[in-house]
């Protein structure tokens, strides 16, 4: 069998020409191509986050593309860890694609690498595997809203004149500088790879690069003193730069990191160039992991030291605390660094909010603008949404297919999606729109050191919720549903989903159900955990909608398990 073609670049199809047998299949194919157009290493099928892939291998990629082009309206493509394994005749309301990725029993990194080496699995990395990545902007509102919470709690609701110190300019981390400057503040970001920094500068997420840390600090101080925004990068390892900052005696106002600690084989050890790290990774994986974890521990210690010195420091979903604990770092000490969801973002989850996004499959920037304008009119009473959309229109560059992210909540997503479908139906938009979200959402993930950390009911480890999310999305006739596990190996289970609006009555029916259940189960999860805001939303008393959710039974830590429980009650009585 001849080897398949390796593609070093892929551009998503634009316009109204169909290569598939319907818009649902064509839309999913364009989402896959959009992943590849935004990819960090397209020739290796790596989309972002170190080793997060869109397909297991090139044989699988080409087979997926061929399958989508040939797929009938009443068929469903089944993908197992990036490999298309079956096409079943289902029915026209069934999902176009269902997939499961990186789900491994007794998972740890050695087990995963062994299975990957045998061509049995791949690393999902949130939106890479389910073809929902939209470039660096994919998590930018999460960063923005985290910084908003810090501004509200500590700085009289303004970050003008404040300085953020952070690390990681990759496909996720590169958003941080722009999120800070959108607040009017200053950000210093370090990364060991100058090519990645230059990519973010080219895309418009970083303003400039400094030759040294001293120069970066000097620039940051000047701009902060003048109340001007600036995103400046400096080449250097996070642990090295953070320790050097501590030695200078200067302190930022906020510190965090988006280095790929969740994927230690992609985390660059101190003392190694990018080239040297590549060679070590290929020749001695065990030594690489040892060196990477040694550097992680130094980075974590530096962030904790900054915290102790009064800097607002937090873990930004990198799993560095968990990886360092696995490497022998004292757990209690590691957990002194707060996680950003429990510390800042969870109140939004209680309203069913989260990183909801949409992609204009026509490729027309004008479609994105029209949708933005519609949002400003239809949701004018929601300051969080309108403030973000106005800033995004001004500051967020288009990467590949025009896309937007927005923390819409329960009730809002359905109203919005149906309005977009109506715009398509009336010819106001030039093509279909795909709706998706990050897996960091209200009810789509369990991760005890990230999204579900320190839950009020103590149910941090309960993984039923993302499974229920996936089942409900199947009932909701979503176009793509993905159940996957990754992050720090063995640490998370989450569900990805894509829904298509093509202007048809069928899309109205699908979207009305799908948009309700996808965020609705997140409201239920938080309401059942005891969060009053979520309970208000479930009872139809939320700020965003008067729509309610039927709750057959409210959870309580006390329950009747058998006769002995009744006997205890009788004794008390």
């Amino acid at each position: 069998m001849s080897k398949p073609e390796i593609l070093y670049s892929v551009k998503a199809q634009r316009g109204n020409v169909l290569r598939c047998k319907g818009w649902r299949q064509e839309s999913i194919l364009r989402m896959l191509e959009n992943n590849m157009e935004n990819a960090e290493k397209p020739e290796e099928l790596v989309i972002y986050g170190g080793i997060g892939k869109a397909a297991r291998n090139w044989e699988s990629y080409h087979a997926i593309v061929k399958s989508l082009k040939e797929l009938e309206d009443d068929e469903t493509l089944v993908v197992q860890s990036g490999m298309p394994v079956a096409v079943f005749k289902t029915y026209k309301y069934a999902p176009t694609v269902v997939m499961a990725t990186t789900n491994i029993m007794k998972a740890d990194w050695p087990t995963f690498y062994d299975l990957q080496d045998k061509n049995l699995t791949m690393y999902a990395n949130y939106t890479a595997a389910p073809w929902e990545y939209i470039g660096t902007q994919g998590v930018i509102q999460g960063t923005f809203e985290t910084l908003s919470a810090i501004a509200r709690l500590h700085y009289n609701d303004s970050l003008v004149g404040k300085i953020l110190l952070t690390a990681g300019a990759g496909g996720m981390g590169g958003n941080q500088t722009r999120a800070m400057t959108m607040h009017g503040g200053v950000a210093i970001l370090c990364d060991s790879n100058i090519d990645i920094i230059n990519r973010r500068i080219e895309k418009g997420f970083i303003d400039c690069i400094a030759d040294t840390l001293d120069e970066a600090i000097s620039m940051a101080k000047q701009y902060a003193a003048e109340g001007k925004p600036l995103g400046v990068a400096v080449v250097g390892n996070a642990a090295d730069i953070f320790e050097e900052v501590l030695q200078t005696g200067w302190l930022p106002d906020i510190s965090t990191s988006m280095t790929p600690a969740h994927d230690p084989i992609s985390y660059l050890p101190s003392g190694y160039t990018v080239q040297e790290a590549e060679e070590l990774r290929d020749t001695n994986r065990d030594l690489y992991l040892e060196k990477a974890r040694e550097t992680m521990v130094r980075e974590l210690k530096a962030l904790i030291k900054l915290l102790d010195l009064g800097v607002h420091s937090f873990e930004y979903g990198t799993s560095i605390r968990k990886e360092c604990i696995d490497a022998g770092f004292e757990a209690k000490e590691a957990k002194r660094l707060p996680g950003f969801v429990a510390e800042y973002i969870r109140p939004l989850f209680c309203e069913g909010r989260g990183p909801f996004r949409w992609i204009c499959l026509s490729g027309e920037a004008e479609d994105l603008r029209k949708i933005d304008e519609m949002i400003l009119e239809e949701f004018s009473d929601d300051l969080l949404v309108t403030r973000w959309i106005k800033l995004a229109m001004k500051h967020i560059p288009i990467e590949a297919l025009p896309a937007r992210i927005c923390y819409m909540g329960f009730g809002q997503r359905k109203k919005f999606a149906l309005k977009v479908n109506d715009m398509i139906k009336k010819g106001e938009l030039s093509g279909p729109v795909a709706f998706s979200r990050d897996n960091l959402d209200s009810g789509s993930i369990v991760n005890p050191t990230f999204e579900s950390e320190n839950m009020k009911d103590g149910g941090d480890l309960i993984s039923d919720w993302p499974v229920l999310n996936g089942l409900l999305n199947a009932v909701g006739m979503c176009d793509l549903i993905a159940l996957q596990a990754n992050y720090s190996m063995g640490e998370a289970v989450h569900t990805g989903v894509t829904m298509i609006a093509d202007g048809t009555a069928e899309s109205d029916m699908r979207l009305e159900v799908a948009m309700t259940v996808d965020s609705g189960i997140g409201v239920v999860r938080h309401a059942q955990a005891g969060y009053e805001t979520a309970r208000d939303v479930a009872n139809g008393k939320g700020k965003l909608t008067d729509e309610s959710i039927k709750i057959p039974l409210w959870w309580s830590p006390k329950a009747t398990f058998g006769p002995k429980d009744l006997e205890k009650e009788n004794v008390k009585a």
Side-chain angles (χ1 to χ4, degrees):
M1 185 175 71
S2 60
K3 287 290 184 182
E5 180 185 6
I6 292 176
L7 306 177
Y8 286 81
S9 66
V10 174
K11 191 173 179 65
Q13 175 97 352
R14 272 79 164 165
N16 289 314
V17 176
L18 287 175
R19 298 159 295 172
C20 302
K21 296 186 177 182
W23 264 115
R24 294 176 67 207
Q25 302 94 312
E26 178 72 27
S27 297
I28 297 298
L29 176 54
R30 292 190 189 192
M31 292 289 283
L32 168 59
E33 292 171 334
N34 194 55
N35 254 32
M36 292 291 287
E37 188 170 340
N38 280 305
E40 297 290 297
K41 296 180 181 178
E43 70 279 6
E44 296 179 13
L45 295 160
V46 170
I47 307 305
Y48 75 95
I51 56 173
K53 300 177 74 173
R56 192 184 304 180
N57 46 52
W58 280 105
E59 287 84 357
S60 294
Y61 178 84
H62 291 295
I64 288 168
V65 171
K66 184 173 185 291
S67 297
L68 289 171
K69 288 180 177 179
E70 296 174 352
L71 203 67
E72 300 289 346
D73 290 341
D74 61 353
E75 291 181 324
T76 298
L77 173 63
V78 183
V79 181
Q80 181 264 319
S81 284
M83 176 181 170
V85 294
V87 173
F88 285 105
K89 184 174 176 60
T90 51
Y91 59 104
K92 71 173 186 175
Y93 299 123
T96 302
V97 178
V98 295
M99 62 170 65
T101 312
T102 330
N103 297 293
I104 301 168
M105 298 300 293
K106 300 180 181 180
D108 56 25
W109 284 113
T111 301
F112 166 77
Y113 292 129
D114 179 59
L115 293 169
Q116 179 184 248
D117 291 344
K118 293 174 180 175
N119 190 31
L120 289 169
T121 192
M122 71 173 198
Y123 192 65
N125 211 42
Y126 295 100
T127 56
W131 317 327
E132 294 159 353
Y133 182 61
I134 59 170
T136 306
Q137 71 155 310
V139 296
I140 192 168
Q141 195 183 3
T143 310
F144 182 87
E145 299 301 344
T146 299
L147 294 172
S148 294
I150 293 171
R152 184 175 63 255
L153 292 169
H154 304 295
Y155 295 117
N156 198 27
D157 211 21
S158 174
L159 293 180
V160 175
K162 306 304 178 184
I163 301 174
L164 164 70
L165 171 68
T166 188
M172 289 287 95
N175 82 88
Q176 297 173 95
T177 43
R178 183 56 65 231
M180 186 63 175
T181 59
M182 289 169 77
H183 273 287
V186 175
I188 300 174
L189 180 147
C190 64
D191 195 288
S192 299
N193 192 330
I194 191 170
D195 292 336
I196 289 178
I197 290 174
N198 285 331
R199 191 178 303 165
R200 299 288 94 81
I201 291 174
E202 179 185 340
K203 292 289 186 179
F205 287 93
I206 295 174
D207 296 314
C208 61
I209 188 168
D211 292 331
T212 64
L213 176 61
D214 285 343
E215 182 184 352
I217 292 173
S218 177
M219 293 172 66
K221 286 180 176 179
Q222 178 185 339
Y223 274 75
E226 296 173 1
K228 296 178 180 177
L230 176 71
V232 58
V234 61
V235 178
N237 184 282
D240 296 339
I241 293 293
F242 289 178
E243 288 173 351
E244 189 176 345
V245 165
L246 287 167
Q247 291 168 6
T248 66
W250 168 80
L251 291 175
D253 300 289
I254 307 166
S255 64
T256 189
S257 169
M258 285 194 80
T259 54
H262 67 282
D263 172 20
I265 204 69
S266 300
Y267 185 99
L268 195 73
S270 175
Y272 289 82
T273 65
V274 174
Q275 178 74 31
E276 289 168 345
E278 288 278 358
E279 292 172 1
L280 181 61
R281 189 182 295 125
D282 291 340
T283 57
N284 193 333
R285 184 183 290 162
D286 290 341
L287 180 59
Y288 188 100
L289 292 173
E290 179 186 331
K291 295 294 184 183
R293 287 192 169 111
E294 286 176 0
T295 308
M296 284 183 206
V297 168
R298 289 174 49 210
E299 180 186 335
L300 179 58
K301 284 182 176 179
L303 284 168
I304 293 171
K305 179 65 175 177
L306 288 165
L307 179 72
D308 289 340
L309 291 170
V311 178
H312 299 293
S313 301
F314 57 92
E315 183 194 289
Y316 194 23
T318 66
S319 195
I320 192 168
R321 295 172 299 173
K322 190 263 184 187
E323 288 296 327
C324 288
I325 291 168
D326 288 350
F329 193 72
E330 206 275 313
K332 187 176 181 181
E333 178 69 6
K335 291 179 180 179
R336 286 208 298 119
L337 185 72
F340 85 103
V341 171
E343 193 78 359
Y344 301 119
I345 293 294
R346 185 160 293 145
L348 300 181
F349 285 0
C350 290
E351 296 181 318
R353 294 192 194 260
F356 179 62
R357 74 265 304 257
W358 53 95
I359 302 92
C360 299
L361 300 169
S362 65
E364 296 292 335
E366 183 65 7
D367 283 357
L368 186 65
R369 186 196 65 78
K370 288 178 180 178
I371 293 172
D372 285 338
E373 294 289 352
M374 178 270 285
I375 291 169
L376 295 177
E377 181 178 342
E378 293 289 331
F379 299 93
S380 59
D381 58 343
D382 189 335
L383 178 61
L384 186 149
V385 166
T386 55
R387 177 175 74 157
W388 172 253
I389 291 297
K390 289 174 184 176
L391 287 168
M393 292 175 74
K394 181 178 180 181
H395 295 286
I396 305 297
I398 288 177
E399 301 174 86
L401 294 176
R404 182 75 75 227
I405 187 165
C406 185
Y407 268 57
M408 289 184 175
F410 178 68
Q412 290 181 316
R413 298 187 191 188
K414 179 173 70 173
K415 177 183 175 182
F416 168 73
L418 292 174
K419 179 64 178 178
V420 169
N421 198 51
D422 189 56
M423 293 172 73
I424 299 168
K425 187 185 307 179
K426 292 177 178 177
E428 296 172 14
L429 302 178
S430 55
V433 173
F435 303 103
S436 183
R437 52 161 170 72
D438 198 352
N439 301 123
L440 163 74
D441 202 37
S442 177
S444 64
I445 189 165
V446 57
N447 183 334
T449 57
F450 190 177
E451 292 91 346
S452 59
E453 181 180 14
N454 296 330
M455 290 294 291
K456 199 170 183 178
D457 63 353
D460 303 17
L461 296 169
I462 300 294
S463 59
D464 297 335
W465 298 102
V467 176
L468 289 171
N469 178 278
L471 292 171
L472 284 166
N473 280 327
V475 171
M477 303 165 285
C478 294
D479 294 278
L480 181 148
I481 302 162
L483 187 62
Q484 53 196 47
N486 61 350
Y487 191 65
S488 187
M489 194 55 58
E491 192 74 4
V493 177
H494 46 93
T495 311
V497 63
T498 297
M499 299 153 274
I500 308 299
D502 61 6
T504 63
E506 182 181 313
S507 283
D508 277 339
M509 179 186 68
R510 292 173 180 273
L511 292 167
E512 186 161 8
V513 180
M515 290 293 175
T516 300
V517 300
D518 186 53
S519 61
I521 192 62
V523 172
V524 172
R525 195 272 176 269
H526 288 85
Q528 292 287 16
Y531 293 94
E532 290 303 319
T533 298
R535 187 165 288 203
D536 286 344
V537 175
N539 286 329
K541 300 176 182 178
K543 294 185 297 182
L544 307 181
T545 178
D546 59 4
E547 187 171 347
S548 62
I549 303 170
K550 292 181 180 179
I551 308 293
L553 178 67
W554 287 108
W555 173 82
S556 168
K558 296 180 180 180
T560 305
F561 299 99
K564 292 180 180 178
D565 296 297
L566 292 178
E567 291 172 8
K568 290 177 183 176
E569 289 299 318
N570 290 333
V571 170
K572 288 180 182 178

